[in-house]
Amino acid sequence: MVKYPKREVLKITDWNKVAAGLQRQFPILIHSDIDYIKGKEKKISQRISRHLNNYESEIISIINRYQL
């Protein structure tokens, strides 16, 4: 039986703190990349991952780390 890794869930608590951290870590991100709309968490992680050419699961992990 194949076991797949647990998928990380994106839960946003303080978006201002996360957005500031993302812009420091990835200066290439623009405001439209990190424009947050409540209830559209999936879309923001997809936008950022597309812009950074990175896996969405990795972006979710980075976002969650900023909220610790």
Side-chain angles (χ1 to χ4, degrees):
M1 183 168 162
V2 176
K3 291 191 176 187
Y4 295 100
K6 183 180 174 187
R7 291 185 59 120
E8 289 213 45
V9 177
L10 180 61
K11 292 183 181 177
I12 297 175
T13 55
D14 184 3
W15 183 248
N16 293 328
K17 180 180 175 182
V18 172
L22 287 171
Q23 284 190 313
R24 274 193 311 275
Q25 185 173 356
F26 305 106
I28 192 171
L29 291 175
I30 57 177
H31 288 288
S32 63
D33 293 328
I34 59 171
D35 188 27
Y36 173 67
I37 299 171
K38 189 172 183 168
K40 303 286 184 175
E41 289 83 3
K42 181 84 171 154
K43 290 211 181 263
I44 197 164
S45 62
Q46 289 171 341
R47 260 195 325 259
I48 294 171
S49 66
R50 241 188 338 264
H51 192 99
L52 296 176
N53 197 26
N54 216 333
Y55 290 109
E56 185 178 358
S57 59
E58 190 172 335
I59 298 302
I60 290 171
S61 178
I62 291 168
I63 290 171
N64 287 338
R65 273 187 261 138
Y66 277 117
Q67 299 185 96
L68 297 178

